[in-house]
Amino acid sequence: MHERLHLHPVLRPLTQRRPTPEGYLGAVRALYGFVIPMEPLLGAEARGRTARAPLLAADLRTLAEDGGGQPGRDRPEPPLAGDLPRPATAAARLGCRWVLDGSAHGGRAMLPHLQRSLGVGPDRGAAYFASAGIDLEAERGSLQVLLDRFVTTEDTRREAVEAAGATFAALERWLDQLREPSRIPDHDRPSLDRDPGA
């Protein structure tokens, strides 16, 4: 599943040899639409973690300005994913967090290629991929503490693994929807000016 997501047409521009600015923007918009509604579902299990939604919102504003446009005027606002897992236990929420946090580590690995090929950077439309201002090692440590506390039995391990799988599957469904925009309800189009953590 993880490999399939990397090759998904919506995210493929991130790893192409010669990515285009438009392809990159589409990938950032897609990630924004998934991360914004997913992060609040992590609940108390997000303790010790910095939200990524503000980084994606900042990237979209920067990319719109660099393109000479204004969010919400020249380009439709990104829609939000609605078909998401609903983790009901601490173990399940940690499984979801593991997926979201893992994408941050993958983003840092992709950053040098994106910088060379597109000229983006931590303060130039790639704050999310740079995990700008985030201590990933400290976050990994806080996640491990929570895993050691709440994922200790066969049942809780199963809950965490199933939730991680459900998160990957939800992301794939979301990316598939973006390839068919008519499947996304109009009311799922938020304002970039709102507080992503609200």
Side-chain angles (χ1 to χ4, degrees):
M1 170 79 74
H2 189 262
E3 183 64 24
R4 196 162 70 234
L5 287 171
H6 274 292
L7 297 174
H8 194 284
V10 176
L11 297 183
R12 185 72 181 96
L14 298 175
T15 55
Q16 284 177 329
R17 186 174 177 185
R18 293 186 178 87
T20 65
E22 195 62 27
Y24 176 73
L25 177 59
V28 173
R29 288 167 60 85
L31 290 168
Y32 174 94
F34 188 75
V35 171
I36 289 281
M38 247 335 276
E39 285 193 321
L41 302 180
L42 301 181
E45 284 63 48
R47 189 166 53 251
R49 178 186 190 276
T50 302
R52 273 51 168 185
L55 298 180
L56 285 161
D59 286 341
L60 288 177
R61 284 192 295 270
T62 298
L63 293 169
E65 291 166 5
D66 287 351
Q70 293 294 322
R73 294 183 189 171
D74 304 304
R75 185 179 298 276
E77 296 171 346
L80 297 184
D83 182 12
L84 300 173
R86 301 293 171 182
T89 67
R93 289 187 289 273
L94 288 169
C96 295
R97 174 179 168 176
W98 180 83
V99 173
L100 292 183
D101 286 8
S103 70
H105 293 277
R108 275 203 178 164
M110 286 186 277
L111 182 63
H113 169 64
L114 296 171
Q115 288 177 304
R116 285 191 304 270
S117 56
L118 293 171
V120 295
D123 58 350
R124 296 188 316 277
Y128 174 78
F129 293 102
S131 293
I134 298 175
D135 185 339
L136 292 182
E137 290 303 315
E139 286 198 357
R140 184 183 290 131
S142 74
L143 176 58
Q144 189 60 56
V145 167
L146 291 170
L147 289 169
D148 290 344
R149 183 181 307 164
F150 294 109
V151 185
T152 58
T153 67
E154 185 176 331
D155 285 344
T156 53
R157 280 191 289 273
R158 186 183 66 253
E159 289 173 4
V161 169
E162 288 177 354
T167 305
F168 279 125
L171 176 56
E172 185 171 41
R173 287 192 303 271
W174 172 237
L175 297 174
D176 288 343
Q177 283 184 0
L178 292 176
R179 293 183 69 194
E180 302 177 49
S182 62
R183 294 170 55 190
I184 301 171
D186 288 338
H187 65 271
D188 285 341
R189 302 182 185 278
S191 169
L192 287 178
D193 296 327
R194 73 174 188 166
D195 178 2

